[in-house]
Amino acid sequence: MNSSDIKAVHKLLATPKSIVIVPHKNPDGDAMGSTLALCRYLNINGHKALVIAPNESPHFLKWLPGHEDVMVYSAFAKAADEKIMGADLIFTLDFNDLSRTGEMEESLSKAEGDFIMIDHHQQPSDYAVVTYSDTTMSSTCEMVYHFLDAIDTTSQIDAAMATCLYTGIMTDTGSFRFRSTTSITHKVVSQLIVSGADNAAIHENIYDTNRFSKLQLLGVALKNLHILPEYRTVYISLSQKELDDHQFQKGDTEGFVNYGLSLEGIIFAVIFIENKADNIIKMSLRSKGDFSVNNFARTHYNGGGHTNAAGGKSDMSLRKTIAEFISILPEYKSQLEG
Ligand code: 5GP
Ligand code: MN
């Protein structure tokens, strides 16, 4: 953060404020960890802060300290609109365009409070008075740690805040294995453990709480995996019927796409997931090295994200979406071939 942004934040937080903190729709560990940690810090420091999430968190995040106080916009839109209209300040965390909040976008774009963005995705939109954007960061949770360090002190990070921040860093770095994990990330994580984050318990809470039907669904996804060796690409699909047959719950398919990338020689993996309720195919895209799935998702799927992890959607049927995907690949042959 530069010194003028730090000054601006000091000014905005100089007196007690009504503050709303927003993660993106379909929140992940980084989105919920960062918003909950910041919310706790602000409440401890005399502000009235509240996390309003566009929709429900998956089951594996609901244990996070403070999660019970999250207001869910899709369930309490009217009350949430009042909070948003009454807010002096609105933090948006782990996303950089208001469209990432789904139905909340309209309400947020009418809000009169000042926005502060903390985010590590590429190409931030220009809606905040303070934009703390750093695409080299492992996670928004790591950025919240640096944000507190810059504006105040990290000594106020208690066990609950440390648990939230550790969770987001762990989930966004694939348990500290992605290229975005730096020596500074490890220093931050080390401090979070000192502050009370129980790393083994957090890992278990996130990764070892599967239902049998979810593992069976993973089996279906792996059976549906197709390899396109000439493009070093893998794609996986899951139809609505396959989801229904396995009592699909939100978050169940998180991480499935990574199995594609675990194949030797593969640098591009995509999962197509049919969503009949929204009439879309939701896609998660992952890559290794320089192949930018952010560009790919922006160009073809109205999406975005990071160089190596992005998302998007298609309005066509599952079959047509896959056929179109395969037809696009030749354009990228020079970037994908070995
Ligand atoms: P996931 O595939 O895990 O849903 O998302 C991977 C990354 O891409 C995350 O950083 C997420 O924020 C971003 N992302 C996922 N879906 C979309 C989308 O529809 N639009 C944009 N701009 N980013 C997305
Ligand atoms: Mn993130």
Side-chain angles (χ1 to χ4, degrees), residues 41-88:
Y41 166 84
L42 292 168
N43 280 320
I44 287 172
N45 286 280
H47 303 285
K48 274 201 164 6
L50 170 73
V51 175
I52 305 182
N55 61 352
E56 285 274 348
S57 294
H59 152 80
F60 63 83
L61 294 177
K62 290 197 170 160
W63 62 274
L64 282 169
H67 198 288
E68 61 283 3
D69 298 325
V70 172
M71 182 181 269
V72 176
Y73 190 86
S74 56
F76 298 99
K78 201 162 169 280
D81 280 339
E82 277 168 24
K83 293 280 181 196
I84 291 166
M85 284 318 286
D88 305 308

Side-chain angles (χ1 to χ4, degrees), residues 169-178 181 207:
I169 300 175
M170 180 188 77
T171 53
D172 254 33
T173 59
S175 299
F176 316 106
R177 75 182 193 273
F178 297 154
T181 313
Y207 294 114

Side-chain angles (χ1 to χ4, degrees), residues 87-108:
D88 305 308
L89 255 183
I90 300 176
F91 280 86
T92 64
L93 266 56
D94 201 36
F95 68 92
N96 62 22
D97 189 285
L98 295 181
S99 64
R100 296 279 291 127
T101 63
E103 288 77 56
M104 248 176 110
E105 179 179 8
E106 197 187 329
S107 178
L108 287 172

Side-chain angles (χ1 to χ4, degrees), residues 12-196:
L12 289 167
L13 294 177
T15 52
K17 293 282 162 68
S18 282
I19 302 176
V20 164
I21 309 172
V22 186
H24 54 77
K25 189 172 176 183
N26 300 324
D28 58 6
D30 193 30
M32 290 321 298
S34 58
T35 52
L36 288 171
L38 181 66
C39 187
R40 187 167 168 84
Y41 166 84
L42 292 168
N43 280 320
I44 287 172
N45 286 280
H47 303 285
K48 274 201 164 6
L50 170 73
V51 175
I52 305 182
N55 61 352
E56 285 274 348
S57 294
H59 152 80
F60 63 83
L61 294 177
K62 290 197 170 160
W63 62 274
L64 282 169
H67 198 288
E68 61 283 3
D69 298 325
V70 172
M71 182 181 269
V72 176
Y73 190 86
S74 56
F76 298 99
K78 201 162 169 280
D81 280 339
E82 277 168 24
K83 293 280 181 196
I84 291 166
M85 284 318 286
D88 305 308
L89 255 183
I90 300 176
F91 280 86
T92 64
L93 266 56
D94 201 36
F95 68 92
N96 62 22
D97 189 285
L98 295 181
S99 64
R100 296 279 291 127
T101 63
E103 288 77 56
M104 248 176 110
E105 179 179 8
E106 197 187 329
S107 178
L108 287 172
S109 51
K110 283 193 219 141
E112 283 167 12
D114 290 317
F115 282 78
I116 299 180
M117 180 205 299
I118 305 178
D119 179 61
H120 66 138
H121 294 88
Q122 293 175 344
Q123 290 133 297
S125 297
D126 187 19
Y127 59 78
V129 294
V130 173
T131 297
Y132 174 30
S133 160
D134 186 345
T135 59
T136 69
M137 282 283 160
S138 69
S139 54
T140 302
C141 280
E142 182 176 342
M143 294 179 76
V144 167
Y145 184 95
H146 297 308
F147 176 81
L148 297 182
D149 197 21
I151 64 155
D152 186 5
T153 164
T154 55
S155 65
Q156 286 196 16
I157 296 179
D158 60 11
M161 286 164 66
T163 299
C164 292
L165 294 178
Y166 185 99
T167 298
I169 300 175
M170 180 188 77
T171 53
D172 254 33
T173 59
S175 299
F176 316 106
R177 75 182 193 273
F178 297 154
R179 275 201 306 181
S180 56
T181 313
T182 63
S183 62
I184 295 171
T185 313
H186 279 286
K187 274 191 190 147
V188 170
V189 157
S190 161
Q191 278 308 310
L192 295 175
I193 293 174
V194 170
S195 302

Side-chain angles (χ1 to χ4, degrees), residues 282-330:
K282 178 70 190 152
M283 304 166 56
S284 285
L285 305 94
R286 300 291 186 270
S287 68
K288 280 189 176 159
D290 295 333
F291 183 66
S292 171
V293 287
N294 172 48
N295 288 344
F296 195 93
R298 273 176 197 271
T299 308
H300 303 289
Y301 299 110
N302 195 20
H306 312 277
T307 303
N308 296 131
K313 48 189 165 298
S314 153
D315 295 328
M316 292 186 291
S317 69
L318 186 56
R319 197 176 52 78
K320 280 197 176 148
T321 301
I322 293 172
E324 189 209 46
F325 170 74
I326 293 170
S327 78
I328 293 169
L329 288 175

